[in-house]
Amino acid sequence: MKEITEYFSKKNILFKDFKEILPKDINSRKKIEIFIGTTIDLKYYAIFIFDSKSRFIRKSAEDLIDLSNNLSSFVGHNFKVKELLIKSPMCSKAKEFLKENGWSVRVDFM
């Protein structure tokens, strides 16, 4: 968790509240890390960290949006900013699909 907050502080995004949500809490078996946070200027962030040896494809992007919807209902509010931090290769169609749906995709994480 410390690496993530340091990563965002380098981008001038400071969190006043930050916690991890386990995937099993929102009825998921995916191998993904989920964090939610509130910045100083009261923007709600949903941060998903995906690390896999296989390529992140369009189907994975659709699953991620479903997971985000489950997270919103679990927490009880929608998120202003939804980010995907990815360490594995990513399909260009999946990246475009996420951007069309209001996601920010960062490949420069670690």
Side-chain angles (χ1 to χ4, degrees):
M1 188 177 330
K2 184 178 179 184
E3 305 94 30
I4 299 163
T5 54
E6 287 176 356
Y7 172 78
F8 279 103
S9 66
K10 288 178 186 174
K11 306 243 183 242
N12 294 325
I13 300 170
L14 300 174
F15 293 102
K16 71 176 187 177
D17 183 31
F18 196 78
K19 65 180 180 178
E20 182 175 8
I21 303 291
L22 297 175
K24 72 176 187 174
D25 291 341
I26 55 175
N27 301 324
S28 175
R29 297 178 61 206
K30 300 246 181 248
K31 303 249 188 235
I32 192 167
E33 295 178 66
I34 305 169
F35 297 92
I36 59 173
T38 307
T39 60
I40 294 172
D41 56 349
L42 298 178
K43 288 183 182 173
Y44 291 95
Y45 275 71
I47 302 164
F48 296 84
I49 300 176
F50 183 79
D51 185 17
S52 176
K53 293 179 182 175
S54 62
R55 181 180 285 251
F56 189 87
I57 58 174
R58 169 87 188 245
K59 172 86 170 93
S60 304
E62 292 170 358
D63 292 342
L64 186 66
I65 289 176
D66 290 340
L67 196 62
S68 165
N69 293 336
N70 291 346
L71 179 66
S72 293
S73 63
F74 176 74
V75 175
H77 63 80
N78 287 330
F79 293 96
K80 174 91 173 163
V81 181
K82 292 177 255 181
E83 299 219 4
L84 171 65
L85 305 178
I86 189 163
K87 301 175 190 174
S88 61
M90 184 172 199
C91 173
S92 61
K93 291 179 183 175
K95 189 173 185 177
E96 277 300 313
F97 179 72
L98 287 174
K99 289 195 181 220
E100 288 171 2
N101 286 296
W103 283 72
S104 174
V105 179
R106 297 181 189 244
V107 187
D108 61 345
F109 181 67
M110 300 218 184

